[in-house]
Amino acid sequence: MKRPSRLAAPLVTLLLLNLCLLTSVALAETVFVQSKTAKLRSGKTSLDSVVADLKFGESLEVLGKEGNWLEVQTARGAKGWIFAGKTTPTKPAGGEDDVLAKLGKSFRRTEAEDVTASAGARGLDKVSEGYANRVGITQQHRDAIDRMAAYRISDQEVEDFLKQGRLGEYAQ
Amino acid sequence: MRSKAWHLIRLLPVLTIIGLWSGCAEIQQVAEEQARRSGDERLAKIIHGSGTLVSGLLPISYEEEQSIGAAISLQVVARYGGVYDQPDLTRYLNLVGRAVALTCDRPDIPYHFAVLNSDSINAFAAPAGYVFVTRGLLKQIRNEAELAAVLGHEIAHVSQKHILEVVQRSKRLAGVSEAGLAYAHQNPDVFKNLIDAAAKKLLDEGLDQDKELEGDSLGEVFAARVGYDPTAYVTLLTRLRALKGDDRAFFKTHPNFSTRIHAVQQVIQTQGWKPTGVLLENRFARVRGKI
């Protein structure tokens, strides 16, 4: 009987290694951050320390999954856990003011500058104020829109609200 | 011998394209000034017109969206009894709304939430993040998860720019090549007509049914991402249907409840979501007496 070649064992090993590599490539999954505020944590609970603050739309390579948490690696190489509800399998479309809209603004800029300069923290600018004058909107309603636009709640207050309600990553 | 103006005419398409892609209005202005200096006022007007045409074809910028949103919001407030100012309720509404907005497809703009002093059952959104809920609708809501889904629906109208599409359509119908701030500043009648048309569509006729159903589907997704029970929205829509059936006049600016319930159930099924019981009834109950 012919003896197997001395090369057979290394070849089989190489083949198996390639198979493993192909399988891991096939399993590699990318998700994207789908939240304005998202934290990469050292463990899979909200009590674990924060490794990095993640940006909306940032891509993450999935390394593993446990319950509602994903173990991920960022493009910069940081590894940690993120609450799965803050990710999406498809790249979010929004996040920044549309490029075409910015282009339009540039073309209209010259005449628009003196109009937008007055906008500030108020809801009404010269144009909408002019509209209010034309259609006879009362001062009470104008003030209501101004107050609405000026109402401030920080991202931290929202985070505390989520924590208090045990929502999302704060669920127990 | 060919004039400078002739060279500028030949360069016009190139200048326009360069201007478009670089986002530089300066190039257009330089060409316009050059034409004016060469004594060709007609060419200067053509170059100016090309910029106007280009800007008219481009989407509305966020600054312009703010003017449009504030003007439409004035109409919403004026027609629905004004804003109901109850500090605890306003804060709670803004906390729930902003939690949901963090997970939407356009989280980088500020969202503002207010209660309308009206017993009718409805909610509205205006461009640039203005969201309104009537006291009538709040009285029908039983928990925070239901409220989150309602706000999610309205946030989706903003993030998907549904009302801005109406403005763009009105602009074309009115034969206006640009509905920007600059044009509106100089032509308040045009701005008024555009806002009146958009407000009529929003408040009287309702958005197109596919936009409303998209609002339901995305609102459901946004609220679920925050961590609320995904079945809460179906419960609310079913309760509202039981109240008045599928009478479109009852909730006249939206599709009938059966269609909406079906759309939300489809999302739940596709995502494979199960009831989680995260409704936060107690937290909602604390502000319920203030509605």
Side-chain angles (χ1 to χ4, degrees):
Chain A
M1 199 173 83
K2 193 177 178 182
R3 289 178 63 190
S5 156
R6 283 189 303 166
L7 285 173
L11 274 174
V12 169
T13 311
L14 200 64
L15 198 68
L16 283 172
L17 275 173
N18 274 332
L19 198 65
C20 288
L21 193 67
L22 282 172
T23 313
S24 68
V25 167
L27 287 176
E29 185 192 346
T30 301
V31 293
F32 300 88
V33 178
Q34 174 71 66
S35 178
K36 189 183 164 197
T37 55
K39 295 184 190 314
L40 187 68
R41 294 184 183 275
S42 60
K44 48 189 181 300
T45 76
S46 61
L47 300 173
D48 286 293
S49 61
V50 176
V51 176
D53 284 309
L54 302 171
K55 288 180 189 162
F56 179 81
E58 192 172 339
S59 69
L60 306 167
E61 190 192 331
V62 179
L63 305 173
K65 185 176 181 183
E66 252 189 81
N68 290 325
W69 291 79
L70 298 177
E71 188 181 16
V72 295
Q73 181 169 10
T74 69
R76 289 162 289 163
K79 283 183 188 175
W81 294 81
I82 182 173
F83 182 67
K86 294 206 167 188
T87 67
T88 174
T90 50
K91 191 167 173 59
E96 283 182 11
D97 205 1
D98 191 88
V99 174
L100 280 176
K102 281 181 180 164
L103 203 56
K105 182 189 161 195
S106 170
F107 268 95
R108 294 183 281 248
R109 189 180 51 195
T110 317
E111 294 110 322
E113 264 170 0
D114 65 321
V115 181
T116 50
S118 67
R122 293 188 61 209
L124 302 186
D125 57 13
K126 278 186 187 172
V127 175
S128 44
E129 189 87 57
Y131 174 78
N133 289 335
R134 272 185 115 68
V135 297
I137 301 284
T138 64
Q139 192 58 45
Q140 184 194 357
H141 295 333
R142 298 179 202 206
D143 292 344
I145 298 301
D146 277 340
R147 274 200 308 278
M148 194 178 169
Y151 198 84
R152 292 280 172 267
I153 283 183
S154 68
D155 287 346
Q156 187 55 51
E157 284 177 282
V158 177
E159 208 63 35
D160 292 343
F161 182 73
L162 293 172
K163 197 183 289 185
Q164 189 194 44
R166 294 181 180 175
L167 284 162
E169 66 183 282
Y170 302 106
Q172 289 172 346
Chain B
M1 196 176 84
R2 285 175 174 172
S3 66
K4 278 182 185 173
W6 169 248
H7 288 295
L8 274 169
I9 287 172
R10 290 199 325 172
L11 282 172
L12 186 61
V14 180
L15 285 171
T16 305
I17 289 165
I18 292 169
L20 246 177
W21 287 105
S22 64
C24 289
E26 286 85 354
I27 290 174
Q28 180 205 347
Q29 284 167 11
V30 167
E32 192 180 326
E33 280 164 24
Q34 185 64 34
R36 200 155 277 136
R37 272 204 294 274
S38 71
D40 195 333
E41 188 58 32
R42 190 165 156 265
L43 178 63
K45 281 182 179 168
I46 290 171
I47 294 170
H48 181 83
S50 72
T52 300
L53 181 67
V54 167
S55 70
L57 293 171
L58 292 168
I60 294 165
S61 74
Y62 177 61
E63 283 79 0
E64 292 164 333
E65 184 180 344
Q66 283 177 299
S67 294
I68 293 165
I72 292 175
S73 296
L74 285 169
Q75 282 289 1
V76 173
V77 168
R79 288 182 53 180
Y80 277 83
V83 166
Y84 180 68
D85 265 329
Q86 206 295 326
D88 294 339
L89 187 58
T90 302
R91 179 171 169 78
Y92 178 72
L93 189 71
N94 274 275
L95 281 166
V96 177
R98 288 180 196 199
V100 177
L102 283 180
T103 72
C104 80
D105 294 335
R106 201 182 173 204
D108 58 336
I109 65 163
Y111 289 80
H112 320 285
F113 302 85
V115 180
L116 293 168
N117 195 9
S118 164
D119 284 332
S120 69
I121 297 175
N122 221 329
F124 303 99
Y130 290 93
V131 174
F132 301 90
V133 189
T134 62
R135 287 175 73 193
L137 178 52
L138 284 177
K139 284 173 187 168
Q140 297 302 324
I141 290 174
R142 297 281 175 270
N143 55 56
E144 192 172 303
E146 291 178 3
L147 175 63
V150 166
L151 297 179
H153 173 109
E154 300 306 327
I155 289 165
H157 284 319
V158 178
S159 71
Q160 305 310 111
K161 302 187 178 180
H162 287 161
I163 301 110
L164 280 185
E165 276 180 35
V166 173
V167 174
Q168 291 276 28
R169 273 210 303 265
S170 308
K171 191 174 77 169
R172 281 196 289 273
L173 285 172
V176 179
S177 63
E178 56 177 328
L181 268 186
Y183 194 80
H185 191 46
Q186 290 156 17
N187 302 274
D189 280 335
V190 172
F191 187 76
K192 179 186 173 298
N193 290 343
L194 289 176
I195 297 301
D196 287 350
K200 187 179 175 207
K201 180 80 177 158
L202 180 68
L203 300 174
D204 300 328
E205 299 163 9
L207 297 173
D208 297 342
Q209 296 230 350
D210 61 327
K211 304 293 182 207
E212 291 299 348
L213 295 177
E214 188 182 22
D216 278 333
S217 302
L218 286 176
E220 167 73 11
V221 170
F222 298 162
R225 276 182 192 150
V226 179
Y228 292 107
D229 189 325
T231 60
Y233 199 25
V234 173
T235 310
L236 172 66
L237 292 173
T238 306
R239 186 182 314 124
L240 293 175
R241 181 175 64 182
L243 201 66
K244 285 280 182 173
D246 272 337
D247 180 4
R248 189 161 157 73
F250 172 65
F251 213 93
K252 62 181 181 179
T253 53
H254 291 74
N256 70 45
F257 290 116
S258 297
T259 308
R260 300 180 64 188
I261 290 165
H262 179 71
V264 176
Q265 281 172 333
Q266 286 284 105
V267 174
I268 294 170
Q269 195 182 344
T270 308
Q271 300 283 346
W273 287 333
K274 303 279 178 235
T276 62
V278 181
L279 300 169
L280 298 185
E281 287 158 310
N282 291 341
R283 191 151 73 171
F284 183 79
R286 286 204 281 273
V287 295
R288 197 148 188 240
K290 293 166 182 173
I291 296 170

CSV table of all heavy atoms in Angstrom, one decimal, chain A residues 36-59:
chain,number,residue,atom,x,y,z
A,36,LYS,N,-27.7,59.1,19.1
A,36,LYS,CA,-26.9,60.3,19.2
A,36,LYS,C,-25.9,60.1,20.4
A,36,LYS,O,-24.7,60.6,20.3
A,36,LYS,CB,-27.8,61.5,19.5
A,36,LYS,CG,-27.0,62.8,19.4
A,36,LYS,CD,-27.9,64.0,19.8
A,36,LYS,CE,-27.1,65.2,20.1
A,36,LYS,NZ,-27.9,66.2,20.8
A,37,THR,N,-26.3,59.4,21.4
A,37,THR,CA,-25.4,59.1,22.5
A,37,THR,C,-25.3,57.6,22.7
A,37,THR,O,-26.3,56.9,22.8
A,37,THR,CB,-25.9,59.7,23.8
A,37,THR,OG1,-27.2,59.2,24.1
A,37,THR,CG2,-25.9,61.2,23.8
A,38,ALA,N,-24.0,57.1,22.6
A,38,ALA,CA,-23.9,55.6,22.8
A,38,ALA,C,-22.5,55.4,23.5
A,38,ALA,O,-21.5,56.1,23.1
A,38,ALA,CB,-23.9,54.9,21.5
A,39,LYS,N,-22.5,54.5,24.4
A,39,LYS,CA,-21.2,54.3,25.1
A,39,LYS,C,-20.7,52.8,24.9
A,39,LYS,O,-21.5,51.9,24.9
A,39,LYS,CB,-21.4,54.5,26.6
A,39,LYS,CG,-21.8,55.9,26.9
A,39,LYS,CD,-21.9,56.2,28.4
A,39,LYS,CE,-22.4,57.6,28.7
A,39,LYS,NZ,-21.9,58.7,28.0
A,40,LEU,N,-19.4,52.7,24.7
A,40,LEU,CA,-18.8,51.4,24.6
A,40,LEU,C,-18.3,51.1,26.0
A,40,LEU,O,-17.6,51.9,26.6
A,40,LEU,CB,-17.6,51.5,23.7
A,40,LEU,CG,-16.9,50.2,23.3
A,40,LEU,CD1,-17.8,49.3,22.5
A,40,LEU,CD2,-15.6,50.4,22.6
A,41,ARG,N,-18.8,50.0,26.6
A,41,ARG,CA,-18.5,49.7,28.0
A,41,ARG,C,-17.5,48.5,28.1
A,41,ARG,O,-17.5,47.6,27.1
A,41,ARG,CB,-19.8,49.4,28.8
A,41,ARG,CG,-20.6,50.7,28.9
A,41,ARG,CD,-21.8,50.4,29.7
A,41,ARG,NE,-22.7,51.6,29.8
A,41,ARG,CZ,-22.6,52.6,30.6
A,41,ARG,NH1,-21.6,52.6,31.5
A,41,ARG,NH2,-23.4,53.6,30.6
A,42,SER,N,-16.9,48.4,29.2
A,42,SER,CA,-15.9,47.2,29.4
A,42,SER,C,-16.7,45.9,29.7
A,42,SER,O,-16.1,44.9,29.5
A,42,SER,CB,-15.0,47.6,30.6
A,42,SER,OG,-15.8,47.7,31.8
A,43,GLY,N,-17.9,46.0,30.0
A,43,GLY,CA,-18.7,44.8,30.2
A,43,GLY,C,-20.1,44.9,29.8
A,43,GLY,O,-20.5,46.0,29.3
A,44,LYS,N,-20.9,43.9,29.9
A,44,LYS,CA,-22.3,43.9,29.3
A,44,LYS,C,-23.4,44.3,30.3
A,44,LYS,O,-24.4,43.8,30.3
A,44,LYS,CB,-22.6,42.6,28.7
A,44,LYS,CG,-22.3,41.4,29.5
A,44,LYS,CD,-22.5,40.1,28.8
A,44,LYS,CE,-22.2,38.9,29.6
A,44,LYS,NZ,-20.8,38.8,30.2
A,45,THR,N,-23.0,45.4,31.1
A,45,THR,CA,-24.1,46.0,31.9
A,45,THR,C,-23.8,47.5,31.9
A,45,THR,O,-22.7,47.9,31.7
A,45,THR,CB,-24.0,45.5,33.4
A,45,THR,OG1,-22.9,46.1,34.1
A,45,THR,CG2,-24.0,44.0,33.5
A,46,SER,N,-24.8,48.3,32.3
A,46,SER,CA,-24.7,49.7,32.3
A,46,SER,C,-23.8,50.2,33.5
A,46,SER,O,-23.4,51.3,33.6
A,46,SER,CB,-26.0,50.4,32.4
A,46,SER,OG,-26.7,50.0,33.6
A,47,LEU,N,-23.5,49.2,34.4
A,47,LEU,CA,-22.6,49.6,35.6
A,47,LEU,C,-21.2,49.5,35.2
A,47,LEU,O,-20.3,50.0,35.9
A,47,LEU,CB,-22.9,48.6,36.7
A,47,LEU,CG,-24.4,48.7,37.2
A,47,LEU,CD1,-24.6,47.6,38.3
A,47,LEU,CD2,-24.7,50.0,37.8
A,48,ASP,N,-20.8,48.8,34.1
A,48,ASP,CA,-19.4,48.6,33.7
A,48,ASP,C,-18.9,50.0,33.2
A,48,ASP,O,-19.6,50.8,32.7
A,48,ASP,CB,-19.3,47.6,32.6
A,48,ASP,CG,-19.5,46.2,33.2
A,48,ASP,OD1,-18.6,45.8,34.0
A,48,ASP,OD2,-20.5,45.5,32.9
A,49,SER,N,-17.6,50.1,33.3
A,49,SER,CA,-17.0,51.4,33.0
A,49,SER,C,-17.0,51.7,31.5
A,49,SER,O,-17.1,50.8,30.7
A,49,SER,CB,-15.5,51.4,33.4
A,49,SER,OG,-14.8,50.4,32.8
A,50,VAL,N,-17.0,53.0,31.2
A,50,VAL,CA,-17.1,53.4,29.8
A,50,VAL,C,-15.7,53.4,29.1
A,50,VAL,O,-14.8,54.0,29.6
A,50,VAL,CB,-17.7,54.8,29.7
A,50,VAL,CG1,-17.7,55.3,28.2
A,50,VAL,CG2,-19.1,54.9,30.3
A,51,VAL,N,-15.6,52.6,28.0
A,51,VAL,CA,-14.3,52.5,27.3
A,51,VAL,C,-14.2,53.7,26.3
A,51,VAL,O,-13.1,54.3,26.2
A,51,VAL,CB,-14.3,51.2,26.5
A,51,VAL,CG1,-13.0,51.1,25.7
A,51,VAL,CG2,-14.3,50.0,27.5
A,52,ALA,N,-15.3,54.0,25.7
A,52,ALA,CA,-15.3,55.1,24.7
A,52,ALA,C,-16.7,55.6,24.4
A,52,ALA,O,-17.7,54.9,24.6
A,52,ALA,CB,-14.7,54.7,23.4
A,53,ASP,N,-16.8,56.9,24.0
A,53,ASP,CA,-18.1,57.4,23.6
A,53,ASP,C,-18.1,57.2,22.1
A,53,ASP,O,-17.2,57.6,21.4
A,53,ASP,CB,-18.2,58.9,23.9
A,53,ASP,CG,-18.5,59.1,25.4
A,53,ASP,OD1,-19.5,58.5,25.9
A,53,ASP,OD2,-17.8,59.9,26.0
A,54,LEU,N,-19.2,56.7,21.6
A,54,LEU,CA,-19.3,56.3,20.2
A,54,LEU,C,-20.2,57.4,19.4
A,54,LEU,O,-21.1,58.0,20.0
A,54,LEU,CB,-20.0,55.0,20.0
A,54,LEU,CG,-19.2,53.8,20.7
A,54,LEU,CD1,-20.0,52.5,20.6
A,54,LEU,CD2,-17.8,53.6,20.1
A,55,LYS,N,-19.9,57.6,18.1
A,55,LYS,CA,-20.6,58.6,17.3
A,55,LYS,C,-21.7,57.9,16.6
A,55,LYS,O,-21.6,56.8,16.1
A,55,LYS,CB,-19.6,59.2,16.4
A,55,LYS,CG,-18.6,60.2,17.0
A,55,LYS,CD,-17.7,60.7,15.9
A,55,LYS,CE,-16.6,61.5,16.5
A,55,LYS,NZ,-15.5,61.7,15.6
A,56,PHE,N,-22.7,58.7,16.3
A,56,PHE,CA,-23.9,58.3,15.5
A,56,PHE,C,-23.3,57.8,14.1
A,56,PHE,O,-22.6,58.6,13.5
A,56,PHE,CB,-24.9,59.4,15.3
A,56,PHE,CG,-26.1,59.0,14.5
A,56,PHE,CD1,-27.1,58.3,15.0
A,56,PHE,CD2,-26.1,59.4,13.1
A,56,PHE,CE1,-28.2,58.0,14.2
A,56,PHE,CE2,-27.2,59.1,12.3
A,56,PHE,CZ,-28.3,58.4,12.9
A,57,GLY,N,-23.7,56.7,13.6
A,57,GLY,CA,-23.3,56.2,12.3
A,57,GLY,C,-22.0,55.4,12.3
A,57,GLY,O,-21.6,54.9,11.3
A,58,GLU,N,-21.2,55.4,13.4
A,58,GLU,CA,-19.9,54.8,13.5
A,58,GLU,C,-20.1,53.3,13.3
A,58,GLU,O,-21.0,52.7,13.8
A,58,GLU,CB,-19.3,55.1,14.9
A,58,GLU,CG,-17.8,54.7,15.0
A,58,GLU,CD,-17.2,55.2,16.3
A,58,GLU,OE1,-17.8,56.1,16.9
A,58,GLU,OE2,-16.2,54.6,16.7
A,59,SER,N,-19.2,52.7,12.5
A,59,SER,CA,-19.3,51.3,12.2
A,59,SER,C,-18.5,50.5,13.3
A,59,SER,O,-17.5,50.9,13.8
A,59,SER,CB,-18.7,50.9,10.8
A,59,SER,OG,-17.3,51.1,10.8
